[in-house]
Each structure stands twice: as C-alpha cells, then as structure tokens.
Amino acid sequence: MSAVTDRLPDFPWDRLAPYKQTAAAHPDGIVDLSVGTPVDPVPELIQKALVDAADSPGYPTVWGTPALRDAITGWLERRLGARDLTHRHVLPVVGSKELVAWLPTQLGLGPGDTVAHPRLAYPTYEVGARLARAEHEVYDDPTELDPSRLRLLWLNSPSNPTGKVVPKRELARIVAWAREHGVLLVADECYLELGWEADPVSVLHPDVNGGSYDGILAVHSLSKRSNLAGYRAAFVAGDPAVLGPLLEIRKHGGMMTSAPTQAAIVAALGDDTHVLEQRARYAARRDVLRAALLSHGFRIEHSEASLYLWATRDESCWTTVSHLADLGILVAPGDFYGPAGGNFVRVALTATDERVHAAAARLTA
C-alpha cells in the first residue's frame, strides 16, 4: 500500500483545514468559495429520470445503453459542432476525475513515458502520471515540449484554475503538432459551456481537428452544467482506436456508470433549458464577486470562462487565504495548481446567492 501512496503528493486540501476553522468562526458564518462543488438543486427532470430508473437490479454495461450513447453523440453534434459521430466515438465514465487519474495507467504508460499538462493545472493530471509511474512535465506552450518520450498531452480549456480559454486557431495548431509527433492529445473540456468573455471551442469541432478524430479525445462532465457532481456523470469522446481498447480495459475493471445515473444523463443531455438557467445563476454570482474583489484591491486575471475567478493582491497566496479567512471567506490557494500560482487565489462561484452576497458585503465594508 505504501508503495502506491509514496508516489503521491500530500492531499492539498488538508492544508486548508485551519483556515476553514478560522472562517467558520465568523459571526455570520463561513462563505466557502474554495472547492467548486455545486450547491443548487438537481433539476427536477433529471431527478425524475433517476427515480424512474431506480428499479435496476441487473448490472449496467460499461459502454452504457444505446440511449445513453445516442444522447452523448447527439449533444456533441448539437452543442459542440462535432460531425459524423458513432457510438464507437464515445464512452461513459464514472466522473471525469476518475478518468483523469487512471487514464495513463489504462493506456499502459509507465517508466520512460512522459505525461504533460499546463503549468497551472488541476492537480489530478500529475497524480495520474504518478500512479502510472510515468514522468510528468509542465508547459506554457505544448509545442515546445520534447516529443520523443511524450505519450499523453493534457489540454484544459477553459482552464481550472485560471479560466483561460485557448482560441480555436491555437487549438488547431496544437492538434496538428500532437498528430505530427504521434502524441495522444486529451482535452479536459468540463467547463466548456461556461464561457463569459470568450466562446470556448472543443477539439471535436472540425475547424480544430480537420474533420478527423485521430489522436484526440475530449473529456466532459455533467457535474457543473447540470449540478450532477453527486451522480458521477461524465464521458469521453474522440478516437475510436483509443476508446475501443479503453472500453475493454474498463470492462475488466468493472468501471460502470450506474443504470439510474445513465438514465439521468440521457435526460440531462436532452434538455438545454436547465443549463441556461444554471449558467445565469453563475453569471450573476460572478458579477457580484468580481466587483467586490476588485473593490477590495484584488486584480482578476484571465477568468473569461469556467466557475472561478483567478485573483491576486500580489502577495503570497497563503497571506491572501489567511486575510480572507479572517473575513469568514474560504478560497483555494493558487499554489495548489502549481508554483506559478503562488501569488493567486482561486475563488469559486459555487455558493448560494445568499452566501455570495454575504461575501460581497464583507469585502466592500
């Protein structure tokens, strides 16, 4: 057991515990803007689909029902502009974090192979490389990496934590480079429907991939856009030559999305109204928090999409975390996402309207 845990970094969120305790002591209670966990209700049509499928005594399939695969391919074509997708182009997964953590292992990567991810990034990209005993490398421009041992290239647009969006032309350039060097490109697009000052584009769009899915995958989650973090509802789409073997591996591993969850995903992907309603909630919260942070002396960088504001007062992120904790506000320190975030904090939009306005009042008092 220790041989595995010794490969992993300390779990970063444990370091926030004393600051959470300080924030919780505020007379008006804590405003937790640290972890981006949804707080709004699961839409009723999704709950109904889950309940209607509750009598599911048999094992679900790893590949999902034909109805689920139809829903995924239909959504990808309708919302992301993908073309000519079949069931072979999609695979449901048990939440996107599971896929990110175990994809290098399931691809057969190991010592001598390199996994690359953005310099500021979701920590699980590195964790996945470590679990596979592969090397990990960070980048600012992936096309400047040495491709000789590079096997897996993670993109993340819109970015967690910064909210930065990679433009369409840049995506096309990176896809072309990865194909030229035989590198599998996997784009984490979990925040794609939450663009505020930019219009995020998927690597599945023909303007990016030239009408071919060779060598590319895109990961999508329903956690934020449909408030389904508790359902573990996600999928990956792209190159059938990669997804076919991945499906077989996951069959052996029993990595199945529950049957009620599969039914809930079908309902969620078939309805755009609840997504627009949730997006409007986040937009309103973003406006309130952004104005309050600016008035308090913060500078906001990037943040043109996703569920976060990437904010700085040009000081150590832990100094900022401590300062905000004294106001009863808990945020994530930027160095959770790499040393380059050492002077930033990530402020999540995932709190109730009442709590967001409480935070704003404290910041502007």
Side-chain angles (χ1 to χ4, degrees), residues 31-276:
V31 180
D32 193 342
L33 306 177
S34 59
V35 181
T37 187
V39 297
D40 300 302
V42 174
E44 288 186 13
L45 85 160
I46 300 175
Q47 293 190 48
K48 183 178 186 303
L50 185 84
V51 171
D52 288 347
D55 187 14
S56 298
Y59 289 110
T61 64
V62 173
W63 202 16
T65 62
L68 175 59
R69 285 176 258 140
D70 281 343
I72 294 172
T73 56
W75 180 84
L76 290 169
E77 292 185 350
R78 184 179 81 252
R79 298 290 292 149
L80 304 190
R83 295 291 179 266
D84 302 320
L85 291 171
T86 70
H87 287 190
R88 294 174 56 248
H89 291 90
V90 299
L91 178 63
V93 296
V94 191
S96 60
K97 184 171 185 175
E98 171 261 305
L99 181 81
V100 172
W102 293 107
L103 183 61
T105 298
Q106 292 173 4
L107 291 172
L109 304 188
D113 298 322
T114 299
V115 175
H117 59 76
R119 187 172 303 279
L120 281 166
Y122 184 45
T124 312
Y125 303 135
E126 177 184 333
V127 167
R130 288 175 176 267
L131 286 170
R133 299 183 180 177
E135 301 298 319
H136 58 91
E137 187 172 355
V138 300
Y139 66 80
D140 296 308
D141 179 350
T143 67
E144 296 177 355
L145 294 166
D146 177 0
S148 60
R149 296 181 5 179
L150 182 60
R151 299 291 177 265
L152 173 58
L153 173 63
W154 283 105
L155 291 186
N156 181 208
S157 176
S159 163
N160 174 17
T162 70
K164 184 177 180 180
V165 173
V166 180
K168 182 191 295 184
R169 181 176 297 180
E170 181 72 0
L171 285 175
R173 183 180 72 87
I174 296 169
V175 167
W177 179 88
R179 284 175 171 165
E180 178 186 352
H181 295 286
V183 176
L184 177 65
L185 184 151
V186 185
D188 181 347
E189 300 180 344
C190 291
Y191 298 96
L192 200 77
E193 291 189 286
L194 296 170
W196 312 116
E197 298 163 8
D199 187 14
V201 179
S202 173
V203 297
L204 301 178
H205 195 285
D207 288 352
V208 173
N209 61 41
S212 167
Y213 300 110
D214 291 350
I216 59 171
L217 298 177
V219 183
H220 284 269
S221 168
L222 284 79
S223 291
K224 309 301 168 55
R225 48 95 72 190
S226 297
N227 299 331
L228 297 188
Y231 284 46
R232 310 316 300 135
F235 57 89
V236 58
D239 191 344
V242 178
L243 293 181
L246 201 58
L247 171 60
E248 295 305 312
I249 292 166
R250 294 173 68 83
K251 284 180 180 178
H252 284 288
M255 294 179 169
M256 320 171 207
T257 303
S258 76
T261 297
Q262 291 187 31
I265 295 171
V266 172
L269 293 179
D271 176 73
D272 295 334
T273 300
H274 79 276
V275 180
L276 294 175

Side-chain angles (χ1 to χ4, degrees), residues 326-355:
D326 288 340
L327 297 177
I329 301 168
L330 189 67
V331 298
D335 66 3
F336 277 11
Y337 308 94
N343 287 345
F344 286 80
V345 293
R346 193 195 73 170
V347 183
L349 310 180
T350 49
T352 64
D353 293 344
E354 184 274 331
R355 289 288 83 188

